[in-house]
Tab-separated table of all heavy atoms in Angstrom:
chain	number	residue	atom	x	y	z
A	1657	SER	N	5.786	-12.476	14.847
A	1657	SER	CA	7.069	-12.017	15.307
A	1657	SER	C	7.970	-11.614	14.165
A	1657	SER	O	9.177	-11.280	14.364
A	1657	SER	CB	7.776	-13.138	16.123
A	1657	SER	OG	7.086	-13.287	17.372
A	1669	PRO	N	2.201	-17.500	1.115
A	1669	PRO	CA	1.276	-17.524	0.022
A	1669	PRO	C	0.531	-16.165	-0.163
A	1669	PRO	O	0.260	-15.523	0.838
A	1669	PRO	CB	0.302	-18.638	0.362
A	1669	PRO	CG	0.409	-18.812	1.858
A	1669	PRO	CD	1.747	-18.360	2.263
A	1673	GLU	N	-8.398	-16.501	-0.689
A	1673	GLU	CA	-9.632	-16.513	0.166
A	1673	GLU	C	-9.303	-15.822	1.502
A	1673	GLU	O	-8.242	-16.011	2.023
A	1673	GLU	CB	-10.071	-17.939	0.412
A	1673	GLU	CG	-10.432	-18.704	-0.883
A	1673	GLU	CD	-10.805	-20.125	-0.633
A	1673	GLU	OE1	-10.775	-20.575	0.522
A	1673	GLU	OE2	-11.126	-20.834	-1.646
A	1719	TRP	N	-23.058	-15.582	25.537
A	1719	TRP	CA	-23.291	-15.350	24.108
A	1719	TRP	C	-24.756	-15.642	23.744
A	1719	TRP	O	-25.367	-16.493	24.289
A	1719	TRP	CB	-22.380	-16.234	23.306
A	1719	TRP	CG	-20.917	-16.044	23.506
A	1719	TRP	CD1	-20.184	-16.735	24.454
A	1719	TRP	CD2	-20.028	-15.146	22.853
A	1719	TRP	NE1	-18.855	-16.288	24.404
A	1719	TRP	CE2	-18.764	-15.335	23.424
A	1719	TRP	CE3	-20.183	-14.202	21.883
A	1719	TRP	CZ2	-17.650	-14.592	23.020
A	1719	TRP	CZ3	-19.084	-13.482	21.419
A	1719	TRP	CH2	-17.822	-13.666	22.023
A	1739	ARG	N	-24.044	-28.273	1.867
A	1739	ARG	CA	-22.820	-27.497	1.596
A	1739	ARG	C	-22.976	-26.766	0.288
A	1739	ARG	O	-22.965	-27.399	-0.774
A	1739	ARG	CB	-21.590	-28.437	1.570
A	1739	ARG	CG	-20.262	-27.674	1.615
A	1739	ARG	CD	-19.106	-28.569	1.666
A	1739	ARG	NE	-18.654	-29.034	0.377
A	1739	ARG	CZ	-17.402	-29.414	0.083
A	1739	ARG	NH1	-16.521	-29.459	1.017
A	1739	ARG	NH2	-17.086	-29.785	-1.122
A	1766	LYS	N	-18.466	-12.568	17.048
A	1766	LYS	CA	-17.583	-13.585	16.401
A	1766	LYS	C	-18.475	-14.469	15.598
A	1766	LYS	O	-19.604	-14.774	15.955
A	1766	LYS	CB	-16.820	-14.367	17.428
A	1766	LYS	CG	-17.723	-15.238	18.354
A	1766	LYS	CD	-16.848	-15.929	19.425
A	1766	LYS	CE	-17.748	-16.864	20.332
A	1766	LYS	NZ	-18.051	-18.115	19.661
A	1771	SER	N	-17.197	-24.525	7.625
A	1771	SER	CA	-16.150	-25.511	8.054
A	1771	SER	C	-15.902	-25.373	9.527
A	1771	SER	O	-14.976	-25.957	10.067
A	1771	SER	CB	-14.879	-25.301	7.262
A	1771	SER	OG	-15.089	-25.464	5.886
A	1772	TYR	N	-16.749	-24.638	10.257
A	1772	TYR	CA	-16.629	-24.410	11.695
A	1772	TYR	C	-15.312	-23.692	12.019
A	1772	TYR	O	-14.801	-23.796	13.136
A	1772	TYR	CB	-16.832	-25.684	12.526
A	1772	TYR	CG	-18.267	-26.050	12.713
A	1772	TYR	CD1	-18.876	-27.037	11.898
A	1772	TYR	CD2	-19.039	-25.438	13.649
A	1772	TYR	CE1	-20.245	-27.413	12.060
A	1772	TYR	CE2	-20.418	-25.773	13.830
A	1772	TYR	CZ	-20.986	-26.730	13.048
A	1772	TYR	OH	-22.307	-27.068	13.234
A	1777	GLU	N	-9.803	-14.595	19.458
A	1777	GLU	CA	-10.239	-13.608	20.466
A	1777	GLU	C	-9.595	-12.220	20.277
A	1777	GLU	O	-10.267	-11.211	20.257
A	1777	GLU	CB	-9.863	-14.075	21.902
A	1777	GLU	CG	-10.711	-15.189	22.419
A	1777	GLU	CD	-10.140	-16.598	22.146
A	1777	GLU	OE1	-9.683	-16.776	20.951
A	1777	GLU	OE2	-10.135	-17.427	22.991
B	1680	SER	N	-23.002	-20.675	24.856
B	1680	SER	CA	-23.994	-20.488	25.940
B	1680	SER	C	-25.219	-21.407	25.844
B	1680	SER	O	-26.158	-21.291	26.576
B	1680	SER	CB	-24.491	-18.998	25.940
B	1680	SER	OG	-23.438	-18.139	26.403
B	1692	PRO	N	-25.707	-26.853	11.460
B	1692	PRO	CA	-25.305	-27.725	10.330
B	1692	PRO	C	-24.485	-28.930	10.832
B	1692	PRO	O	-23.713	-28.765	11.804
B	1692	PRO	CB	-24.448	-26.825	9.416
B	1692	PRO	CG	-23.970	-25.687	10.293
B	1692	PRO	CD	-24.995	-25.507	11.363
B	1696	GLU	N	-16.513	-30.457	6.981
B	1696	GLU	CA	-15.123	-30.077	7.028
B	1696	GLU	C	-14.814	-29.588	8.454
B	1696	GLU	O	-15.617	-28.938	9.089
B	1696	GLU	CB	-14.824	-28.946	6.038
B	1696	GLU	CG	-15.104	-29.316	4.574
B	1696	GLU	CD	-14.886	-28.143	3.610
B	1696	GLU	OE1	-14.530	-27.095	4.061
B	1696	GLU	OE2	-15.061	-28.411	2.385
B	1742	TRP	N	6.882	-15.669	18.725
B	1742	TRP	CA	6.537	-16.867	17.890
B	1742	TRP	C	7.694	-17.152	16.911
B	1742	TRP	O	8.356	-16.199	16.427
B	1742	TRP	CB	5.303	-16.627	17.105
B	1742	TRP	CG	4.061	-16.374	17.869
B	1742	TRP	CD1	3.601	-15.139	18.285
B	1742	TRP	CD2	3.169	-17.328	18.442
B	1742	TRP	NE1	2.456	-15.291	19.058
B	1742	TRP	CE2	2.146	-16.607	19.151
B	1742	TRP	CE3	3.103	-18.742	18.390
B	1742	TRP	CZ2	1.102	-17.296	19.837
B	1742	TRP	CZ3	2.034	-19.372	19.054
B	1742	TRP	CH2	1.061	-18.606	19.738
B	1762	ARG	N	-3.125	-22.696	-5.226
B	1762	ARG	CA	-4.172	-23.251	-4.434
B	1762	ARG	C	-4.401	-24.657	-4.827
B	1762	ARG	O	-4.921	-24.954	-5.920
B	1762	ARG	CB	-5.487	-22.413	-4.616
B	1762	ARG	CG	-6.556	-22.701	-3.597
B	1762	ARG	CD	-7.752	-21.797	-3.702
B	1762	ARG	NE	-8.718	-22.353	-4.648
B	1762	ARG	CZ	-10.019	-22.024	-4.663
B	1762	ARG	NH1	-10.510	-21.201	-3.733
B	1762	ARG	NH2	-10.828	-22.475	-5.575
B	1794	SER	N	-6.624	-20.422	3.548
B	1794	SER	CA	-7.519	-19.257	3.476
B	1794	SER	C	-7.163	-18.307	4.623
B	1794	SER	O	-7.977	-17.402	4.924
B	1794	SER	CB	-8.996	-19.712	3.628
B	1794	SER	OG	-9.336	-20.605	2.581
B	1795	TYR	N	-6.032	-18.477	5.247
B	1795	TYR	CA	-5.573	-17.658	6.387
B	1795	TYR	C	-6.535	-17.744	7.557
B	1795	TYR	O	-6.576	-16.831	8.392
B	1795	TYR	CB	-5.321	-16.215	5.908
B	1795	TYR	CG	-3.951	-16.021	5.227
B	1795	TYR	CD1	-3.908	-15.931	3.877
B	1795	TYR	CD2	-2.762	-15.972	6.000
B	1795	TYR	CE1	-2.618	-15.811	3.224
B	1795	TYR	CE2	-1.548	-15.822	5.363
B	1795	TYR	CZ	-1.498	-15.733	4.015
B	1795	TYR	OH	-0.258	-15.605	3.402
B	1800	GLU	N	-7.338	-18.413	20.518
B	1800	GLU	CA	-6.453	-18.530	21.628
B	1800	GLU	C	-6.904	-19.550	22.677
B	1800	GLU	O	-6.161	-20.390	23.118
B	1800	GLU	CB	-6.291	-17.169	22.341
B	1800	GLU	CG	-5.507	-16.148	21.586
B	1800	GLU	CD	-6.426	-15.287	20.703
B	1800	GLU	OE1	-7.371	-15.810	20.100
B	1800	GLU	OE2	-6.205	-14.058	20.650
B	1804	GLY	N	-14.485	-19.226	23.525
B	1804	GLY	CA	-15.293	-18.979	22.374
B	1804	GLY	C	-15.721	-20.211	21.600
B	1804	GLY	O	-16.678	-20.123	20.799
Side-chain angles (χ1 to χ4, degrees):
Chain A
S1657 291
E1673 298 178 0
W1719 301 91
R1739 192 174 86 155
K1766 66 184 181 77
S1771 299
Y1772 280 100
E1777 288 90 317
Chain B
S1680 291
E1696 298 178 0
W1742 300 91
R1762 193 175 85 157
S1794 300
Y1795 280 100
E1800 288 91 319

